[in-house]
Amino acid sequence: FGSRMKPIFQQLRDELSKRILIMDGAMGTEIQSYKFQEEDFRGQDYVGHHHDLKGNNDLLSITRPESIAAIHKAYLDAGADIIETNTFNSNKISQADYKLESEAYKMNVASAKLARECTDEYTARDPARPRFVAGAIGPTTRSASISPSMEKPELRNITFEELVEAYQEQARGLLDGGVHLILIETVFDTLNCKAAIFAVQELFEKDYEPVPIIISGTIVDKSGRTLSGQTGDAFYTSIKHGDLFCIGLNCALGPQEMRPHLQALSEINPGYVHCYPNAGLPNPLGEYDLTPEKMGEYIREFAEDGLLNIVGGCCGTSPAHIAAMAKAVQTCKPRSTRQVDFQLETLVLSGLECLVFTKDLNFVNIGERCNVTGSRIFAKLIKDNNYEEAVAVAKKQVEMGAQILDFNFDEGMLDSAAAMTKFLRLIATEPDISKVPIMVDSSNFSVIETGLKNIQGKSIVNSISLKEGEEDFKKKAKIVKKYGAAVVCMAFDEEGQATTIERKLEICTRSYNILTKEIGFNPNDIIFDPNILTIATGIEEHAEYAINFIEATKLIKAKLPGCRVSGGVSNLSFSFRGRDSIREAMHSVFLFHAIKAGMDMGIVNAGNLPIYDDIDPVLLKLCEDSIFNRDPNATDKLLEYAERTKGKKDEKADAAADSWRSKPVNERLSHSLVKGIVEFIIQDTEEARLQYPRALNVIEYPLMSGMNVVGDLFGAGKMFLPQVIKSARVMKKAVAHLIPFMEKEKLEAAKDDPSLLQKTNGTILLATVKGDVHDIGKNIVGVVLQCNNYKVIDLGVMVPCQKILDAARDEKADIIGLSGLITPSLDEMIHVGHEMTRQGFNIPLLIGGATTSKMHTAVKISPSYKNPVVHVLDASRSVVVCSQLLDDAQREEYMDEITAEYEELRQEHYDSLKDRKFLNLEQSRKRRLQIDWQNAKIVKPSFLGTKVFQEYPLSELVNYIDWNPFFATWQLRGKYPNRGYPKIFNDADVGVEAKKLFDDAQVMLKEIIDQKLLTARAVIGFYPAHSVEDDIEVFEDEAKTKKLATFYGLRQQSDSESKTTYCYGDFIAPKNSGISDYLGFFALSAGFGIPELEAKYKKDDDDYRIIMAKALADRLAEAFAEKMHEEVRRSEWGYSKSENLSLEDKLKVKYSGIRPAPGYPSQPDHTEKTTMWELLQVEKSTGIELTESLAMWPAAAVSGLYFANEQSKYFAVGKVDRDQVDSYAARKNISLVDAERILRPILGYE
């Protein structure tokens, strides 16, 4: 058996590299069509069974095998590559409902053998297309994470161990029956899934050759969560440890509803992705109405957007649905997978939601109050069996800003394992707690393992060490990895606890090498605790403990890539137990320096930490002297300070605490925000309101000023997240107090204009994007907009993309505004932009939030959405931006300004890039533009060959002139709203000069036309063509018997935000498509006569007229190119005969087709012009020459290629990597040196 299964991984990879594989559809739907009765389910084997068996579909593999085989074959005939065994409920837990627990193994073997017989038959018929059997393992009928009783939330009707036992028996039967792969499907509870993974991996370790494992989760509704409450990314994070071959989604949703969740999974999963949705959502009768044809359309869209490697159907799907899907994706390329580089990854943990350790996360607070060894209050609650109050402690920790919760139940009088189990099960029913990851903390490893068996998310184990030797360390590390947890490794070995820098680094390095090289740990899942030990004890050898931790942290982070550093901060100050103010100050000072050194997280009661800058200067110096061992008497001085302040308040501190109340109200408001003081915020806000003309002004000035201080302190590492959260709460209280007054002001204003109550200026939909919980800035924007008579729909925080777009449609929003504070939000904003384009939105998109910027918006978000995207700096700008976007008279001018500004920003950004990431050429080609050539509109030109225009009338070009570049030539630039022509004439600074220049140009232009001082000539040509990979071959006639030329293409290679990597070869039908296609060319000039004019004006020393003549020739040449392209579209080629666009629309490229030029962004190689010149005989027919450096002469000339395909678009190739340059040189038959010389401006390497 083992040798037979060995090649399965490679077999599947080979097939998946060639095409999207098809899974079968619903088994249950097809079984229902047979209308089986009780006797069918009993067959001969179970005639005397004492329990009803009707409905036990899995049993039919034994009692009616011919029917199940017929269903398998129907799906294979429909095009399925993978069929599932009829074993969804073939486990002893589910079979208990029929009193058939003992038959589970037999059922799996029978179903697997039956399916194998079918696939073997079809593979034998067509060995080039092997068929596969997936051993289906369902979720069982019980949940390890959800209580069956509302009254007893800690109750479970199944344990992890029981699930492992049942899943292992089922998997054993499937493997013995010969399945090719294991499919753990319809996962509604991730803990059940982890048990299944655990069970299968144990079989692979002990008894069976491994086969691919596929995991299929189930998002139960549009909220994007599983039944047990996890988000899609949290589910993925929790199970990705399992050496999984493919991860995807099935059931509960139809394809339309599943798409956003599949797309999100596809973005975070580097491996294979699948989906098999239901045939839509069930109707009121529980039936599924989505037709095969419609389902095929949805699936094709998935495939074209690069979301699929494997696809099939779930509830309500039939062989007809599978056939439609197979047909829909047969020409689509499979989704590209990517290699995972751990240095490009990061630590990701999960509860119900993910915690991603980004560079911007600063420091992660691990809540310490749910530890019986560290909190007397918590210990007493647990000992008294007062779990309800103990859960409240955990909830309070999260509210205070803890991003991870540490749970420890090590106490001599407790059953630690039982306490851990009960507490974890209780908090699992509290979403406000279980949303954060858990740190399972115990000195007894069996208690840790008990904890891991009760957590569905990806947790942290605290801790393991080399204290008991390498074998013990490895054994525990393997178990941790098997459960998919991250691990804290203590700097402790056989010789004891590390105290020096050298020993800390030595032990951590040894641990790191064992974990990464022998156990296979992802370095990002390794967290070192280099031991925060107590200082200021009076013992000399303790004096260096703090600085040793800080310095060791620097070395660990530098030498052990991927790892994190943590520590128990309270250990530092144990010598001052009972002196909380001293301890808290020591912790704050220590963290300030340790975080800078690279400390990522720590067990600390961060909500009680003082702000670094607010610590009494005397105490601050004493703390720093103690931490850095600067003063041998620092301990004594701290003791003296502690004694001096023991049992009484510091009088100076009291005075300072009171003094702020005597300051001006603006300063008091700022102080309350920074300190998180709620006590006086209402009375101070009211006092401020009475001093300002409008209630809104209080938000705009003193409150925003205070929040800016908070932001600065947080950015400098002098405030921590819990303190920022307190500040935000204070701000919300102040705003809540002001809202009624702002509403009243609005009503007062409506007395003079009653229409204000009925009519709004527009509907603005605001949302903090998925994954982000920060909303204070967004809320302020909402208030400001409402005060200016906009209807505001605020969707809140953590809003999934599809919910935003659905609400925008339902509410008929005029503008969507996205907010976010954390860096991952930026990627989500890009995703929303892509989806707005895909779903046909045409309303403006506003971007705001602390991590957003105008540059990021221009470079990353704006290209993802074809309509206006505007970065809004702050609330004060929101009204101005919205009013201009919604004003028909202002919108176009404003967007022209934004478009021009963002284009400049993009260019500035790309020019400044030094470090670039590239796809290799093969990867880049896999992401090429996908065009359905069988249904593409291809029009044959009116002639083949060339056509020459010797003296084109200049008078016909005047109306095609774009005057904006003319003013740029003269370095005249107006300011918004007077930037472009003709508004530039109104500009206060350059308007007068611009008008004078324009008038002079009109005089000379008339003179040029009337006296025929310049001549315009052109040649155009059309030829049969097809593409071969990136290049385009051009032929003499449609029989393609004689190739005239090859035009070589360059493909985008930057691994950027765009999913498609363009090359202009993509716009011509491929040779292997069998489709006849065409390519056009042109070269033209309006500069014949310029040398004569230059000589004439030079005699008069009239430089002004020389520059004017050349500038006008340039404008006429560009106008000629625009005019000629219009003639090509409408008549010469004729692929857009009914086109009727204004000049403004033509200049904005609103027509179909493009005319890119060699030497420009779409093909930066100027030498391609020589091929065009030879093909069209340009110099002979028009007199337009190519200089030695391949510049055109006359200079006022334009040349390029004509593409007619509707999906053709302008793009910039950008930088290219060495492998593409090698390929390009080989294809052009030139040396690498010549290729690098030609392409030097776009080389992405030295």
Side-chain angles (χ1 to χ4, degrees):
F1 178 81
S3 61
R4 176 169 57 83
M5 297 303 291
K6 273 185 181 177
I8 184 60
F9 285 93
Q10 194 56 51
Q11 267 191 294
L12 277 170
R13 290 192 189 101
D14 290 345
E15 295 302 314
L16 286 165
S17 69
K18 295 183 285 191
R19 57 198 171 91
I20 295 170
L21 294 188
I22 307 299
M23 290 184 71
D24 59 7
M27 176 62 74
T29 305
E30 295 305 295
I31 286 175
Q32 287 171 20
S33 68
Y34 281 82
K35 303 187 186 307
F36 288 126
Q37 300 302 313
E38 179 70 24
E39 57 269 22
D40 296 297
F41 287 91
R42 289 182 177 273
Q44 296 300 313
D45 294 38
Y46 302 100
V47 171
H49 188 65
H50 59 283
H51 193 282
D52 288 347
L53 296 178
K54 186 178 180 181
N56 190 358
N57 289 348
D58 295 13
L59 195 58
L60 295 168
S61 295
I62 296 174
T63 62
R64 288 291 180 267
E66 70 287 347
S67 300
I68 301 303
I71 294 171
H72 285 324
K73 291 180 179 180
Y75 280 120
L76 290 166
D77 288 334
D81 300 291
I82 303 171
I83 60 170
E84 297 181 43
T85 55
N86 180 33
T87 54
F88 186 80
N89 288 308
S90 296
N91 59 78
K92 63 182 180 182
I93 297 167
S94 300
Q95 287 303 312
D97 294 342
Y98 299 96
K99 310 301 181 187
L100 284 178
E101 300 97 313
S102 62
E103 299 296 291
Y105 173 80
K106 177 181 175 182
M107 292 167 69
N108 283 283
V109 173
S111 288
K113 286 183 175 180
L114 184 63
R116 270 303 298 265
E117 289 171 7
C118 296
T119 57
D120 288 352
E121 176 186 334
Y122 278 71
T123 299
R125 289 186 201 170
D126 184 3
R129 186 185 174 191
R131 309 298 180 95
F132 305 98
V133 175
I137 296 179
T140 80
T141 53
R142 300 188 178 187
S143 167
S145 296
I146 303 171
S147 171
S149 168
M150 292 187 66
E151 291 76 24
K152 296 181 178 180
E154 75 277 15
L155 182 65
R156 298 291 182 272
N157 58 12
I158 195 74
T159 66
F160 188 89
E161 293 88 348
E162 289 167 340
L163 284 167
V164 169
E165 182 183 342
Y167 283 135
Q168 210 158 72
E169 180 186 34
Q170 180 173 16
R172 190 181 294 278
L174 292 169
L175 292 168
D176 288 346
V179 298
H180 297 101
L181 51 95
I182 293 291
L183 172 62
I184 300 167
E185 65 174 341
T186 320
V187 176
F188 65 82
D189 181 347
T190 310
L191 189 53
N192 284 38
C193 182
K194 289 169 79 172
I197 294 171
F198 192 97
V200 174
Q201 284 182 332
E202 276 204 333
L203 289 180
F204 292 163
E205 289 171 10
K206 297 174 182 177
D207 303 318
Y208 293 87
E209 190 76 28
V211 301
I213 301 174
I214 297 179
I215 301 292
S216 196
T218 297
I219 303 297
V220 294
D221 56 36
K222 291 184 180 182
S223 70
R225 292 180 182 265
T226 63
L227 186 66
S228 57
Q230 277 197 313
T231 60
D233 53 353
F235 163 69
Y236 170 77
T237 299
S238 303
I239 53 97
K240 70 173 184 175
H241 66 280
D243 294 328
L244 307 176
F245 188 78
C246 180
I247 302 175
L249 301 173
N250 78 292
C251 206
L253 303 174
Q256 187 175 13
E257 297 78 20
M258 186 179 282
R259 177 182 173 117
H261 313 305
L262 180 67
Q263 183 152 350
L265 177 61
S266 180
E267 288 169 359
I268 61 175
N269 176 18
Y272 297 117
V273 170
H274 73 267
C275 79
Y276 45 113
N278 292 347
L281 297 176
N283 62 27
L285 299 178
E287 297 169 345
Y288 296 88
D289 300 326
L290 193 63
T291 65
E293 294 74 22
K294 191 64 179 174
M295 196 156 188
E297 290 176 20
Y298 283 124
I299 296 304
R300 180 178 181 82
E301 188 177 302
F302 287 12
E304 289 175 341
D305 288 346
L307 302 180
L308 293 176
N309 299 108
I310 303 172
V311 67
C314 202
C315 302
T317 59
S318 64
H321 288 86
I322 299 307
M325 292 186 211
K327 182 180 179 181
V329 304
Q330 65 182 353
T331 60
C332 299
K333 290 188 176 182
R335 171 182 173 274
S336 297
T337 59
R338 57 187 186 273
Q339 292 296 314
V340 179
D341 181 348
F342 76 83
Q343 294 191 65
L344 302 179
E345 287 189 290
T346 187
L347 172 60
V348 185
L349 304 170
S350 62
L352 295 183
E353 298 165 10
C354 273
L355 175 63
V356 184
F357 280 67
T358 65
K359 291 179 180 178
D360 303 311
L361 195 55
N362 196 2
F363 178 78
V364 170
N365 303 292
I366 304 172
E368 67 171 358
R369 310 315 293 170
C370 295
N371 185 327
V372 296
T373 65
S375 169
R376 291 188 298 271
I377 295 173
F378 186 76
K380 187 175 188 306
L381 291 172
I382 297 298
K383 287 178 182 178
D384 292 346
N385 204 33
N386 189 350
Y387 278 84
E388 186 175 343
E389 287 298 316
V391 168
V393 172
K395 189 172 185 179
K396 185 69 173 177
Q397 287 277 281
V398 177
E399 290 172 354
M400 293 290 285
Q403 293 142 291
I404 299 170
L405 289 176
D406 178 86
F407 295 156
N408 182 297
F409 297 91
D410 289 356
E411 209 281 340
M413 299 302 293
L414 282 176
D415 180 340
S416 300
M420 179 73 80
T421 298
K422 183 173 182 178
F423 195 73
L424 286 171
R425 289 178 174 180
L426 283 169
I427 65 108
T429 66
E430 297 283 345
D432 290 341
I433 304 172
S434 55
K435 67 181 181 182
V436 304
I438 301 303
M439 176 178 276
V440 185
D441 186 353
S442 179
S443 57
N444 183 339
F445 194 76
S446 66
V447 175
I448 285 177
E449 191 167 3
T450 296
L452 294 173
K453 292 174 180 177
N454 286 279
I455 299 172
Q456 67 168 327
K458 179 178 177 180
S459 56
I460 303 174
V461 164
N462 187 14
S463 60
I464 62 173
S465 77
L466 289 161
K467 180 180 179 181
E468 303 298 331
E470 281 195 10
E471 289 310 310
D472 177 78
F473 180 78
K474 291 176 186 177
K475 179 182 177 183
K476 290 173 179 174
K478 288 177 181 177
I479 292 171
V480 173
K481 183 174 182 288
K482 209 166 174 180
Y483 284 99
V487 67
V488 174
C489 294
M490 302 297 297
F492 210 122
D493 68 2
E494 299 90 337
E495 297 177 19
Q497 192 172 43
T499 59
T500 66
I501 298 170
E502 295 75 20
R503 284 273 292 148
K504 291 175 191 287
L505 180 61
E506 174 196 338
I507 295 172
C508 291
T509 302
R510 182 182 167 202
S511 301
Y512 182 88
N513 289 335
I514 292 171
L515 289 171
T516 57
K517 296 177 181 178
E518 298 185 45
I519 309 300
F521 247 86
N522 182 334
N524 290 285
D525 289 340
I526 301 171
I527 304 162
F528 287 114
D529 184 339
N531 307 326
I532 300 176
L533 302 173
T534 306
I535 61 171
T537 62
I539 301 172
E540 186 176 347
E541 50 265 38
H542 296 179
E544 296 283 334
Y545 281 172
I547 188 61
N548 285 354
F549 179 93
I550 291 170
E551 291 303 316
T553 295
K554 292 178 184 177
L555 292 172
I556 290 167
K557 294 300 287 287
K559 294 179 180 293
L560 307 178
C563 75
R564 304 285 161 176
V565 172
S566 181
V569 180
S570 60
N571 295 345
L572 183 81
S573 61
F574 272 154
S575 56
F576 290 93
R577 295 194 77 168
R579 315 284 175 84
D580 288 349
S581 61
I582 304 293
R583 296 192 70 185
E584 289 160 4
M586 290 177 72
H587 298 165
S588 183
V589 174
F590 174 78
L591 281 173
F592 178 71
H593 296 288
I595 291 168
K596 286 185 176 180
M599 186 178 179
D600 301 282
M601 63 187 89
I603 301 175
V604 60
N605 192 3
N608 290 340
L609 289 179
I611 297 170
Y612 179 86
D613 285 350
D614 288 346
I615 298 170
D616 174 16
V618 174
L619 180 56
L620 178 62
K621 185 177 185 306
L622 291 173
C623 290
E624 296 212 320
D625 286 347
S626 197
I627 287 167
F628 291 101
N629 195 22
R630 293 171 180 163
D631 182 350
N633 299 315
T635 298
D636 292 336
K637 292 177 180 178
L638 264 175
L639 289 169
E640 290 173 11
Y641 185 94
E643 193 60 37
R644 198 166 61 243
T645 59
K646 181 181 178 182
K648 60 179 181 179
K649 291 184 178 179
D650 188 324
E651 293 178 4
K652 289 184 179 179
D654 282 348
D658 293 337
S659 65
W660 73 278
R661 295 303 304 153
S662 61
K663 292 181 178 179
V665 68
N666 286 10
E667 293 183 39
R668 299 201 304 272
L669 286 171
S670 181
H671 183 89
S672 291
L673 287 164
V674 173
K675 303 297 182 185
I677 300 171
V678 179
E679 185 180 357
F680 306 103
I681 194 63
I682 301 300
Q683 71 182 67
D684 287 347
T685 301
E686 177 61 14
E687 184 179 336
R689 183 185 70 81
L690 297 173
Q691 294 180 13
Y692 283 91
R694 299 172 62 198
L696 177 62
N697 299 146
V698 182
I699 296 174
E700 293 175 325
Y701 300 109
L703 292 176
M704 283 303 296
S705 176
M707 287 306 290
N708 288 338
V709 174
V710 170
D712 291 342
L713 289 170
F714 180 62
K718 295 179 179 179
M719 280 183 78
F720 300 104
L721 184 63
Q723 295 156 325
V724 175
I725 291 173
K726 287 181 180 179
S727 298
R729 287 175 179 166
V730 175
M731 181 70 171
K732 287 183 176 181
K733 267 195 170 299
V735 171
H737 174 74
L738 293 169
I739 285 175
F741 297 100
M742 291 188 286
E743 290 292 332
K744 185 178 179 181
E745 288 168 3
K746 182 177 178 180
L747 291 172
E748 289 293 325
K751 290 179 180 178
D752 298 325
D753 184 3
S755 66
L756 289 176
L757 290 179
Q758 288 85 33
K759 184 180 178 183
T760 67
N761 289 331
T763 299
I764 317 295
L765 186 140
L766 301 177
T768 299
V769 295
K770 186 183 80 170
D772 203 323
V773 298
H774 303 90
D775 66 349
I776 187 70
K778 171 178 62 67
N779 293 346
I780 294 169
V781 168
V783 170
V784 171
L785 289 170
Q786 286 172 326
C787 293
N788 284 273
N789 204 35
Y790 289 92
K791 179 184 178 182
V792 175
I793 310 295
D794 189 342
L795 298 183
V797 301
M798 294 279 290
V799 188
C801 171
Q802 197 55 49
K803 183 176 178 181
I804 294 171
L805 303 188
D806 289 344
R809 287 194 190 92
D810 294 343
E811 300 289 346
K812 296 180 172 57
D814 298 299
I815 292 175
I816 293 175
L818 303 180
S819 176
L821 179 68
I822 57 177
T823 302
S825 299
L826 301 177
D827 292 334
E828 181 65 15
M829 291 173 179
I830 296 170
H831 170 59
V832 174
H834 279 299
E835 283 299 291
M836 290 179 72
T837 296
R838 188 183 70 82
Q839 297 185 31
F841 279 81
N842 59 6
I843 60 177
L845 175 63
L846 304 187
I847 303 296
T851 56
T852 64
S853 67
K854 188 180 289 186
M855 178 66 80
H856 181 273
T857 302
V859 174
K860 298 286 188 177
I861 304 175
S862 181
S864 71
Y865 183 45
K866 63 183 180 181
N867 288 292
V869 181
V870 183
H871 179 256
V872 183
L873 184 63
D874 55 39
S876 64
R877 290 285 303 154
S878 60
V879 174
V880 176
V881 172
C882 290
S883 64
Q884 290 176 319
L885 286 173
L886 298 181
D887 186 329
D888 292 337
Q890 297 185 63
R891 172 172 172 161
E892 193 139 353
E893 295 172 15
Y894 178 60
M895 280 317 303
D896 285 345
E897 171 76 12
I898 294 293
T899 300
E901 181 184 8
Y902 283 14
E903 184 57 42
E904 288 177 6
L905 287 171
R906 279 191 287 272
Q907 194 58 49
E908 177 187 332
H909 169 76
Y910 292 126
D911 288 345
S912 68
L913 287 179
K914 293 181 181 178
D915 299 321
R916 300 169 186 270
K917 297 175 187 174
F918 293 99
L919 301 167
N920 64 45
L921 184 56
E922 191 59 33
Q923 290 172 327
S924 184
R925 284 172 173 166
K926 287 179 180 179
R927 285 167 51 171
R928 69 187 301 146
L929 176 68
Q930 300 296 322
I931 294 177
D932 180 3
W933 289 107
Q934 301 303 318
N935 296 306
K937 174 189 173 186
I938 295 178
V939 176
K940 181 181 177 180
S942 65
F943 66 90
L944 296 179
T946 61
K947 183 174 182 178
V948 179
F949 302 81
Q950 284 295 352
E951 290 189 14
Y952 202 93
L954 296 180
S955 58
E956 292 187 23
L957 306 180
V958 174
N959 290 335
Y960 289 79
I961 292 176
D962 179 3
W963 288 102
N964 287 309
F966 174 79
F967 294 108
T969 300
W970 294 90
Q971 298 183 16
L972 292 177
R973 181 186 175 104
K975 295 182 179 63
Y976 179 80
N978 300 315
R979 185 172 183 174
Y981 168 81
K983 291 291 186 179
I984 191 172
F985 302 146
N986 301 323
D987 187 84
D989 296 326
V990 304
V992 173
E993 188 60 33
K995 185 64 169 71
K996 180 181 176 183
L997 180 73
F998 182 74
D999 290 343
D1000 289 346
Q1002 299 309 301
V1003 171
M1004 180 176 281
L1005 183 60
K1006 186 175 187 302
E1007 182 181 323
I1008 287 171
I1009 294 172
D1010 290 348
Q1011 299 179 32
K1012 298 185 177 181
L1013 299 177
L1014 297 179
T1015 301
R1017 300 175 195 159
V1019 58
I1020 62 174
F1022 307 108
Y1023 298 89
H1026 60 227
S1027 64
V1028 179
E1029 203 65 76
D1030 299 337
D1031 306 328
I1032 303 171
E1033 295 179 343
V1034 172
F1035 296 86
E1036 185 176 53
D1037 55 35
E1038 293 192 272
K1040 296 183 180 178
T1041 54
K1042 181 179 180 182
K1043 184 169 74 171
L1044 299 178
T1046 300
F1047 288 84
Y1048 297 93
L1050 289 162
R1051 185 171 295 282
Q1052 292 175 324
Q1053 225 175 337
S1054 175
D1055 192 5
S1056 64
E1057 66 278 359
S1058 175
K1059 291 183 179 178
T1060 302
T1061 51
Y1062 289 95
C1063 171
Y1064 68 18
D1066 297 346
F1067 307 143
I1068 296 294
K1071 180 179 180 178
N1072 60 12
S1073 70
I1075 303 296
S1076 297
D1077 206 350
Y1078 306 89
L1079 182 63
F1081 306 89
F1082 73 96
L1084 56 83
S1085 173
F1088 294 100
I1090 281 294
E1092 292 79 7
L1093 283 177
E1094 183 176 9
K1096 174 185 174 183
Y1097 298 140
K1098 202 166 190 178
K1099 287 180 182 178
D1100 301 328
D1101 295 322
D1102 195 344
D1103 291 336
Y1104 177 79
R1105 288 175 70 80
I1106 292 173
I1107 297 171
M1108 178 68 77
K1110 290 182 176 180
L1112 287 173
D1114 284 344
R1115 289 300 88 222
L1116 286 167
E1118 291 292 343
F1120 193 10
E1122 199 64 58
K1123 170 66 173 172
M1124 186 58 68
H1125 196 192
E1126 182 185 61
E1127 292 299 315
V1128 165
R1129 297 191 302 271
R1130 297 182 62 182
S1131 58
E1132 303 293 353
W1133 192 332
Y1135 63 83
S1136 190
K1137 292 181 178 179
S1138 60
E1139 176 188 304
N1140 185 21
L1141 299 173
S1142 67
L1143 174 61
E1144 189 175 12
D1145 286 344
K1146 291 169 192 168
L1147 295 178
K1148 290 181 177 179
V1149 197
K1150 292 189 177 180
Y1151 47 73
S1152 181
I1154 57 171
R1155 51 177 177 89
Y1160 285 82
S1162 295
Q1163 212 315 1
D1165 178 6
H1166 282 277
T1167 67
E1168 288 292 282
K1169 289 179 194 167
T1170 60
T1171 309
M1172 190 192 309
W1173 251 245
E1174 291 171 9
L1175 179 67
L1176 300 183
Q1177 293 291 292
V1178 174
E1179 184 173 347
K1180 181 179 179 180
S1181 60
T1182 65
I1184 305 172
E1185 301 174 13
L1186 288 177
T1187 69
E1188 186 174 327
S1189 59
L1190 299 174
M1192 291 178 286
W1193 187 94
V1198 183
S1199 65
L1201 291 72
Y1202 289 132
F1203 291 88
N1205 190 276
E1206 293 175 341
Q1207 293 191 52
S1208 61
K1209 59 174 282 184
Y1210 291 105
F1211 63 93
V1213 170
K1215 298 290 185 182
V1216 295
D1217 210 358
R1218 172 66 180 266
D1219 62 339
Q1220 180 160 198
V1221 179
D1222 283 337
S1223 171
Y1224 194 72
R1227 283 154 34 217
K1228 286 196 74 156
N1229 195 26
I1230 59 177
S1231 69
L1232 178 62
V1233 172
D1234 285 340
E1236 289 178 330
R1237 174 181 53 78
I1238 292 166
L1239 301 177
R1240 189 172 305 283
I1242 64 166
L1243 293 182
Y1245 59 92
E1246 292 297 323

